[in-house]
Amino acid sequence: MAALEIRNLSKTYRSPGRKPFTALRDLSLAVPEGGIYGFLGPNGAGKSTTIKILVGLIRKTGGEAYVLGRPAEDLTSHQEMGYLPEVSTYYPYLTCRELLDFYCSFFGLSRRKRVSRIGETLALTGLTSKTDTPVRELSKGMQQRLGIAQAVIHDPPLLILDEPTAALDPLIQKEVRDIILKFRDQGKTIFFSSHRLTEVEYICDRVAVLHEGRLLLEGRLAELLEGPSPDCDVTFSAEEGEIWDRWRNSGVPVARITASPQTFQARFPQKEIKQRVSEILSSRGSLLSVTPVRRNLEDLFVKMIAEASHETG
Amino acid sequence: MRPANIWQIGRLTLCEWTRKKVFYMFFIVALAFFGLAFTLNFFNLGPQARFTMDLSLTAMGLFTAILSLGLSLSAIPQDLENKTAWCLLSRPVSRFDYLCGKFLGTVLLILIILSILTVELVVVTFLKENRLHWTILQAGLLLWVESLVLTAVVLTFSLPFSPPMNAAFSSFVYAVGHLSSTYIQALSQESRNVAGGIPVLLLKLALPQLQYFDLKSAVVQGYPVPLGYTGEAVLYGLLYALMVLLLGELLLSRKDL
Ligand SMILES: Nc1ncnc2c1ncn2[C@@H]1O[C@H](COP(=O)(O)OP(=O)(O)OP(=O)(O)O)[C@@H](O)[C@H]1O
Ligand SMILES: [Mg+2]
């Protein structure tokens, strides 16, 4: 069974006095159980719309959406799912403990179980020292961690996180990433939307890319990025003014590595490498390294979006 | 519908208000007002005491209405605006549970305040006249039932309407609700035929008959109020509030958050 399954999902927002707006068209997607699934797309692609349909906050206008095998509108599917909204404030007058206890109270857990879950979750998200602090006194990063805590408080097998690391500093981004990895290691399924491609590349097993409400690309990350790369980076050292000037003047993409003097790097198609290396050696330079350029998600993403935008005009 | 969910949300709503300082200010001012009204006329019996009682009950009624309006006007819009409702409704909590929870929290708060005011009134009249006015308790109870109706109306109106519009419409319902039976009586006298009778009947059903809950004159005149009447009024209020909440559920379940 897929953790999430979406078939021909569409959503048209209608509000009185405005033109209807179709945010999702015919989207189909299946998220397997276990692992981390990245849901990507530029601003306004429809990521949050999809997520809000899955968690039952908005109504779809067509197609089907299943959460752990049950229709998304079915309240029982909410039992086994945790959700972190894209923006949200938590009741400012409650303390972290009270807030988590409130959110935990809808799952029929015993008092003892609740107390132990709250302790574990606060520890996991690094908020133990803030247990009795009112929410309004937390910093943004802490509030985001509290958001993750409320999503996992009932220990659900499926987590749906809408931009969990948006607006956080790099340190806290890493902390949040580590928390997500911990959940994966516990066997949970994590479905999260993000703009941070390096982060996605780093932690996701599969990704889907959405653009203007349509699916552009979907698959295992390793497969998507696989394939012989056409380019290599060549690092070499040479006397100033020699090959550096010659290449620069003839338009070869070569750059000085600022950290070390007389060290340069250039990127060439694989078939040119042999000739370029002999050029370096023949002008008394020394070759430091030749590394194939790994295809990365960012390049792939930019290329796909550019192509798609080009097609739609 | 899950009663446990409604209770949790109701408790949270209650807690939300009791942690706001402005609420205590409001409360102290109201207490002081009643205290003052009575100490001023403490030793007066007869017409003056009646006047004070009338004034107190009128003030209590208005205070309850303002409280219902003030507490429920922005309760749901605010939750939707700052998205606190998102986390809540992604749990196994139905929108009806949510609506009823908000309702419960609000009317519990009003119950606490009204009980204190009512008991204060009973005690003060006891000190003054040396006898217990049970009808004051009945009057207090029915004021609370009236607040159930009003709170349900304001919460439901807050789904399609903005708070200012809601305030206007709800005040209208309150005013007309207090006049409705007189007005409808006049209308039904005019239209005795069936064709005219149906709209009048519909109007009668749609508008809350709020003067049902008004025991002021009985208390002031010192008439006993039969328990049967009180029971009937409570039942009417509960049913009316429930119908309005069901309508609210219809509106809320169609809303995209
Ligand atoms: N309530 C609404 N009414 C009308 N249009 C809406 C509504 N909510 C979202 N939209 C539109 O639907 C489209 C998709 O929005 P959505 O929030 O799903 O994007 P997103 O992929 O999450 O973007 P971001 O990365 O900026 O969060 C946008 O063009 C947005 O303007
Ligand atoms: Mg979004």
Side-chain angles (χ1 to χ4, degrees), chain A residues 11 59 89 93 98 150, chain B residues 19 82 84 91 95 256:
Chain A
K11 171 69 191 177
R59 295 170 359 132
T89 37
Y93 46 88
E98 288 169 331
Q150 64 78 27
Chain B
R19 290 197 184 171
N82 59 28
T84 39
R91 276 150 225 278
R95 302 211 174 170
D256 278 348

Side-chain angles (χ1 to χ4, degrees), chain A residues 57-127:
Chain A
L57 292 179
I58 60 180
R59 295 170 359 132
K60 57 180 197 257
T61 43
E64 289 153 77
Y66 296 93
V67 176
L68 295 165
R70 281 177 294 234
E73 309 78 53
D74 186 349
L75 272 186
T76 52
S77 70
H78 295 206
Q79 196 88 29
E80 294 172 54
M81 164 191 92
Y83 165 57
L84 172 73
E86 149 180 64
V87 272
S88 127
T89 37
Y90 303 97
Y91 306 99
Y93 46 88
L94 295 183
T95 65
C96 294
R97 185 210 307 275
E98 288 169 331
L99 184 87
L100 293 181
D101 193 43
F102 172 65
Y103 282 134
C104 205
S105 64
F106 302 104
F107 298 97
L109 300 179
S110 69
R111 168 121 214 104
R112 245 196 35 225
K113 178 85 188 144
R114 268 181 11 218
V115 170
S116 80
R117 274 305 299 164
I118 292 169
E120 284 164 28
T121 310
L122 285 171
L124 181 74
T125 48
L127 288 171

Side-chain angles (χ1 to χ4, degrees), chain B residues 48-98:
Chain B
Q48 188 114 41
R50 278 193 194 162
F51 174 73
T52 316
M53 178 62 86
D54 196 356
L55 187 70
S56 301
L57 285 173
T58 308
M60 223 156 101
L62 275 179
F63 181 65
T64 315
I66 291 170
L67 213 54
S68 306
L69 191 73
L71 295 178
S72 14
L73 206 54
S74 58
I76 294 177
Q78 204 175 13
D79 260 13
L80 300 185
E81 182 81 10
N82 59 28
K83 273 102 190 167
T84 39
W86 287 12
C87 277
L88 183 54
L89 292 172
S90 68
R91 276 150 225 278
V93 171
S94 71
R95 302 211 174 170
F96 189 59
D97 291 351
Y98 170 69

Side-chain angles (χ1 to χ4, degrees), chain A:
Chain A
M1 183 185 64
L4 293 172
E5 192 168 2
I6 294 170
R7 274 188 242 131
N8 308 101
L9 189 69
S10 56
K11 171 69 191 177
T12 302
Y13 286 107
R14 284 169 220 279
S15 32
R18 263 186 296 160
K19 271 210 321 224
F21 179 82
T22 302
L24 286 182
R25 303 155 207 265
D26 229 14
L27 179 68
S28 298
L29 198 67
V31 177
E33 271 185 285
I36 306 179
Y37 196 106
F39 195 38
L40 311 176
N43 285 124
K47 301 180 296 295
S48 299
T49 301
T50 312
I51 288 180
K52 287 201 277 181
I53 292 173
L54 287 170
V55 301
L57 292 179
I58 60 180
R59 295 170 359 132
K60 57 180 197 257
T61 43
E64 289 153 77
Y66 296 93
V67 176
L68 295 165
R70 281 177 294 234
E73 309 78 53
D74 186 349
L75 272 186
T76 52
S77 70
H78 295 206
Q79 196 88 29
E80 294 172 54
M81 164 191 92
Y83 165 57
L84 172 73
E86 149 180 64
V87 272
S88 127
T89 37
Y90 303 97
Y91 306 99
Y93 46 88
L94 295 183
T95 65
C96 294
R97 185 210 307 275
E98 288 169 331
L99 184 87
L100 293 181
D101 193 43
F102 172 65
Y103 282 134
C104 205
S105 64
F106 302 104
F107 298 97
L109 300 179
S110 69
R111 168 121 214 104
R112 245 196 35 225
K113 178 85 188 144
R114 268 181 11 218
V115 170
S116 80
R117 274 305 299 164
I118 292 169
E120 284 164 28
T121 310
L122 285 171
L124 181 74
T125 48
L127 288 171
T128 308
S129 63
K130 302 288 171 192
T131 306
D132 293 307
T133 307
V135 173
R136 65 172 167 294
E137 289 172 21
L138 298 183
S139 75
K140 198 176 167 72
M142 291 172 192
Q143 292 215 9
Q144 188 74 351
R145 279 187 277 169
L146 183 64
I148 294 179
Q150 64 78 27
V152 299
I153 187 68
H154 52 296
D155 200 16
L158 169 66
L159 284 176
I160 300 180
L161 312 175
D162 201 350
E163 297 193 28
T165 58
L168 298 180
D169 76 39
L171 224 63
I172 303 185
Q173 276 174 39
K174 181 170 179 329
E175 278 177 27
V176 169
R177 240 175 8 237
D178 290 344
I179 295 174
I180 294 176
L181 287 170
K182 256 187 244 172
F183 291 138
R184 184 201 50 197
D185 297 341
Q186 293 171 2
K188 296 186 194 302
T189 311
I190 297 115
F191 179 76
F192 82 103
S193 74
S194 178
H195 294 293
R196 291 184 207 282
L197 299 167
T198 40
E199 161 183 292
V200 169
E201 194 172 340
Y202 182 59
I203 64 175
C204 287
D205 306 307
R206 292 182 79 92
V207 293
V209 179
L210 203 61
H211 180 62
E212 293 178 353
R214 289 198 185 91
L215 191 67
L216 272 192
L217 177 80
E218 201 274 342
R220 281 181 56 78
L221 195 57
E223 282 163 20
L224 294 176
L225 298 180
E226 183 170 84
S229 160
D231 291 342
C232 281
D233 280 334
V234 176
T235 316
F236 60 97
S237 68
E239 287 294 325
E240 195 88 20
E242 287 261 333
I243 193 162
W244 156 250
D245 276 351
R246 202 164 71 228
W247 277 359
R248 227 169 27 143
N249 294 337
S250 57
V252 171
V254 57
R256 193 196 299 269
I257 295 176
T258 39
S260 41
Q262 298 177 354
T263 308
F264 308 97
Q265 192 174 51
R267 179 169 292 188
F268 300 111
Q270 224 156 24
K271 58 180 194 297
E272 281 180 30
I273 293 294
K274 209 167 156 189
Q275 188 219 328
R276 295 296 186 180
V277 168
S278 62
E279 269 181 66
I280 292 168
L281 296 177
S282 64
S283 57
R284 283 170 294 128
S286 47
L287 184 67
L288 299 177
S289 73
V290 177
T291 25
V293 178
R294 216 168 70 81
R295 281 155 63 101
N296 68 31
L297 191 57
E298 185 170 310
D299 296 342
L300 187 67
F301 182 82
V302 170
K303 194 168 135 245
M304 300 279 321
I305 302 289
E307 280 172 13
S309 306
H310 187 70
E311 272 164 31
T312 53

